[in-house]
Amino acid sequence: MSATERWGASSSRSPSHSALRESADAAARSEALASAFAGKAWLIIDLATGTGGNIRYLAPRLGGARWVAADHDPVLLAALRSPAGTSVSTLQLDLAR
């Protein structure tokens, strides 16, 4: 079942919803864990990326990682913001299929 079938035709979270959650999400993340992975050339695939909150939090802490931001919602992918100098590719896909 696709997300649209599960949640209805207007299943998109708005970008403003993601912005409201960002500070709480950041407070729940582990600085120690992020530090343990710093300094390596990672390829990170952020599933259900939304507007890129994980990327904005982790990219400055991990250094030269390359990112693939994947989400089923084109509205959220279009609103994705990443830190300057961060390599991010986007991929629209429905993980339920």
Side-chain angles (χ1 to χ4, degrees), residues 1-36:
M1 172 183 294
S2 73
T4 301
E5 292 166 330
R6 187 177 303 119
W7 303 109
S10 61
S11 66
S12 300
R13 287 183 325 212
S14 72
S16 61
H17 171 82
S18 295
L20 289 172
R21 291 192 44 84
E22 191 155 344
S23 63
D25 289 345
R29 292 183 175 107
S30 169
E31 286 287 334
L33 184 59
S35 295

Side-chain angles (χ1 to χ4, degrees), residues 6-95:
R6 187 177 303 119
W7 303 109
S10 61
S11 66
S12 300
R13 287 183 325 212
S14 72
S16 61
H17 171 82
S18 295
L20 289 172
R21 291 192 44 84
E22 191 155 344
S23 63
D25 289 345
R29 292 183 175 107
S30 169
E31 286 287 334
L33 184 59
S35 295
F37 288 93
K40 307 258 191 292
W42 296 100
L43 170 61
I44 300 172
I45 302 171
D46 185 6
L47 301 175
T49 194
T51 61
N54 283 327
I55 296 169
R56 286 189 298 281
Y57 178 83
L58 287 171
R61 290 162 176 82
L62 296 182
R66 293 180 303 128
W67 294 84
V68 175
D71 204 293
H72 77 281
D73 191 328
V75 173
L76 294 178
L77 286 173
L80 187 136
R81 300 178 334 272
S82 59
T86 303
S87 173
V88 180
S89 301
T90 59
L91 178 63
Q92 183 183 352
L93 60 93
D94 185 345
L95 294 172

